[in-house]
Amino acid sequence: MKTKKIDMTKGSIIQNVILFAIPIVLGNILQQLYTTVDTLIVGRYCGDKALAAVGTSSQPVEVLLCVFLGIGTGASILVSQRIGAGDDKRVKDIAEASTSLVYMSGIPIAILGYLMAPAILRFMGVPEDVEAAALMYTRVVFLGALGNIGYNMNAGILRGLGDSVASLWFLVVSCVTNIILDLLFVAMFSMDVQGAALATGISMFVSWIVSVFYIKKKFPELSFSFLPRALNMQEMKQILTIGVPIGLNNSLFSFGHMAMQTLVNAQGYRFMAGASVAGRITGITNVAITAVSSAASTFSGQNFGAENYDRLREGYIKIPALNGIATLALGLMFISFRMPILGFFTQDKTVLMYAGRYVVAVLLSQWCYAVFNCISNIVNGVGFVKYTTLINLMMLWAVRIPCAYIINRFFDGTYIMLCFPVSFAFGMLCMIGYYIFSPNWKRIISKGDSNKGFGTPLGTYRTPYGRL
């Protein structure tokens, strides 16, 4: 490949992970600015009810988008494994199949989301005084789904190739576009939440288009194209076999968040606004989690593809530990400065009180989620996605949501954010248990001792999605 990439099969594990993660950290901060700038400008120019509408509208968008964003993760895992195995032709095949999947998923989701938006918002119990604005925001963002999916699919391919820097520059362009359009549509033209939604949607299309041109220029051997050329059914099947379980898991997780949002909505628009503002801060602190976890997935996939089991065994402890420590440090920093930061979004004392309480409850325990998520990505990187999917669903539907309903039913509903620490701890313990007790994982890790008596060579090794 003709651009600088990080080879996870060589050198210092922690150094490679940090170098890989830094651009993703910066990119995730910029990505958070999409919604943060929406929140800040809408809060300043349109008021707390519009702020509540933007906050509650993000949940239904995630539900439908997450299935297809998981497909991008599937493409990333396969690319990383094939890069590790040195199979450039099949990397090209994956890239070709990914382009087809962007259109096959992005166009239907835009139509489906637009049509389903009213029913979804009614299910969420959105108050009448914010329903019209929430519907407008939701529909406009859904119409921009193709750009969102296209960018995330291309970013997944680049991560699998070991290039995490390019996505940062795509997001710089997109974020600057988003800020300019927010100020233009909302502050200057008074387009309210519709303007904020348009700014976000257009920005994602810009990012997608830039990513296509980058891949075409820097990786000409992939013969990448903006439009699909052919349907490579074999590669599409393998992407979907890995990506759909991850996507469905993410989607059901987001659907659970939407169910949680009904409890938030039940507390009134001030609590809704407080939760929305707090979510911007907790989302920013989430950057260490997603960045290191993305690096963990690439590390796992490349070393599994290269049959480098000794290195895989060394990294599967070090990387989650790094993720947990970084997340805790970032969380403590934001807790210390939470009130001045929250004050940028609103001056309402009640909203600030709710937001501050929410931030403390989540950030003190988010390091547990960091460890959980990192282990999950390492396991996903070798193709074992079933257990991680199950634990993700249990963490939400068997722990977090029941806990929240109990708090709302028997205690004070404005403390429902306490369900997060409980679910984070549950997920972390379950994934640590997988490391300790899973026969499949033990079989992979045991190969580190010069492959003594364990299985077949990787060229004929059967993973959960077929033979490599």
Side-chain angles (χ1 to χ4, degrees):
M1 298 301 179
K2 298 182 179 181
T3 190
K4 184 177 180 180
K5 304 177 297 179
I6 295 176
D7 186 349
M8 291 287 191
T9 65
K10 301 175 182 177
S12 167
I13 292 175
I14 297 301
Q15 180 179 336
N16 282 344
V17 167
I18 292 175
L19 290 175
F20 190 94
I22 285 174
I24 300 177
V25 168
L26 297 175
N28 284 339
I29 291 174
L30 289 173
Q31 200 161 27
Q32 286 295 324
L33 284 177
Y34 287 131
T35 51
T36 301
V37 170
D38 286 340
T39 304
L40 181 60
I41 294 178
V42 170
R44 289 288 186 181
Y45 290 94
C46 306
D48 287 337
K49 290 185 179 179
L51 188 65
V54 172
T56 196
S57 299
S58 63
Q59 300 297 334
V61 175
E62 287 183 12
V63 169
L64 289 180
L65 281 178
C66 279
V67 173
F68 304 103
L69 300 184
I71 295 172
T73 301
S76 178
I77 290 171
L78 287 173
V79 168
S80 66
Q81 291 185 354
R82 289 165 186 178
I83 285 291
D87 192 344
D88 291 339
K89 181 184 182 303
R90 296 190 71 185
V91 172
K92 178 180 176 180
D93 292 341
I94 286 293
E96 183 179 84
S98 298
T99 301
S100 300
L101 286 171
V102 167
Y103 288 89
M104 293 174 64
S105 56
I107 294 174
I109 198 176
I111 298 172
L112 185 63
Y114 186 91
L115 296 175
M116 290 181 61
I120 293 171
L121 294 178
R122 283 196 298 270
F123 169 78
M124 295 174 63
V126 175
E128 292 183 3
D129 52 356
V130 300
E131 184 177 3
L135 178 60
M136 178 66 70
Y137 188 91
T138 303
R139 280 182 157 171
V140 173
V141 171
F142 269 127
L143 290 177
L146 181 64
N148 196 325
I149 293 171
Y151 161 74
N152 281 281
M153 185 74 79
N154 291 350
I157 292 171
L158 288 168
R159 286 195 300 271
L161 291 168
D163 183 355
S164 62
V165 176
S167 298
L168 170 62
W169 294 112
F170 305 155
L171 286 173
V172 168
V173 174
S174 187
C175 189
V176 171
T177 303
N178 190 53
I179 293 172
I180 292 173
L181 293 179
D182 261 325
L183 293 172
L184 183 67
F185 294 156
V186 179
M188 186 177 296
F189 294 158
S190 301
M191 293 176 65
D192 203 74
V193 296
Q194 181 182 7
L198 277 172
T200 299
I202 292 172
S203 298
M204 290 309 301
F205 269 101
V206 170
S207 191
W208 175 36
I209 292 169
V210 170
S211 71
V212 171
F213 281 106
Y214 176 85
I215 295 174
K216 286 173 67 66
K217 180 177 180 180
K218 296 296 183 179
F219 300 92
E221 61 273 33
L222 295 182
S223 301
F224 203 74
S225 62
F226 186 79
L227 296 174
R229 294 175 176 173
L231 294 179
N232 190 323
M233 299 305 297
Q234 179 181 357
E235 299 298 346
M236 288 175 64
K237 180 180 178 181
Q238 293 210 9
I239 295 173
L240 293 173
T241 300
I242 296 180
V244 168
I246 296 173
L248 286 174
N249 168 68
N250 292 341
S251 184
L252 289 171
F253 212 81
S254 292
F255 186 77
H257 287 171
M258 193 169 67
M260 286 284 297
Q261 186 69 37
T262 63
L263 293 176
V264 172
N265 295 346
Q267 315 307 319
Y269 80 87
R270 281 192 172 87
F271 187 82
M272 291 171 64
S276 176
V277 169
R280 305 313 173 201
I281 294 182
T282 58
I284 291 174
T285 61
N286 198 46
V287 297
I289 299 175
T290 55
V292 179
S293 294
S294 293
S297 178
T298 300
F299 167 85
S300 178
Q302 286 190 6
N303 283 282
F304 180 70
E307 304 182 49
N308 201 344
Y309 303 116
D310 283 320
R311 188 173 177 84
L312 182 61
R313 184 170 58 183
E314 182 182 356
Y316 88 107
I317 297 295
K318 288 183 176 180
I319 301 175
L322 171 68
N323 209 11
I325 292 170
T327 301
L328 179 60
L330 195 62
L332 291 175
M333 182 185 72
F334 274 96
I335 287 174
S336 300
F337 297 101
R338 66 188 181 281
M339 297 314 294
I341 296 173
L342 293 171
F344 280 107
F345 296 95
T346 180
Q347 297 300 314
D348 188 300
K349 292 183 178 180
T350 303
V351 173
L352 286 173
M353 178 193 69
Y354 289 142
R357 181 190 300 171
Y358 192 105
V359 166
V360 172
V362 173
L363 295 190
L364 282 178
S365 58
Q366 204 170 37
W367 67 271
C368 297
Y369 178 72
V371 174
F372 154 79
N373 199 54
C374 199
I375 298 175
S376 296
N377 275 270
I378 289 173
V379 174
N380 286 343
V382 300
F384 296 124
V385 299
K386 292 182 179 179
Y387 181 82
T388 58
T389 300
L390 175 63
I391 297 304
N392 261 292
L393 296 179
M394 289 181 62
M395 187 169 71
L396 180 66
W397 291 98
V399 180
R400 184 178 303 170
I401 292 177
C403 183
Y405 273 88
I406 289 171
I407 293 171
N408 184 63
R409 175 67 177 83
F410 297 103
F411 301 99
D412 182 348
T414 61
Y415 284 90
I416 58 174
M417 71 286 294
L418 294 178
C419 66
F420 286 96
V422 178
S423 64
F424 290 164
F426 171 83
M428 180 182 69
L429 292 174
C430 286
M431 289 313 302
I432 291 174
Y434 184 84
Y435 269 176
I436 297 172
F437 300 110
S438 169
N440 288 332
W441 185 253
K442 286 182 179 180
R443 186 169 182 267
I444 293 293
I445 296 303
S446 295
K447 291 184 176 184
D449 295 323
S450 302
N451 297 327
K452 293 178 181 178
F454 291 94
T456 58
L458 184 60
T460 57
Y461 183 73
R462 187 168 185 82
T463 68
Y465 50 87
R467 295 184 184 276
L468 290 177

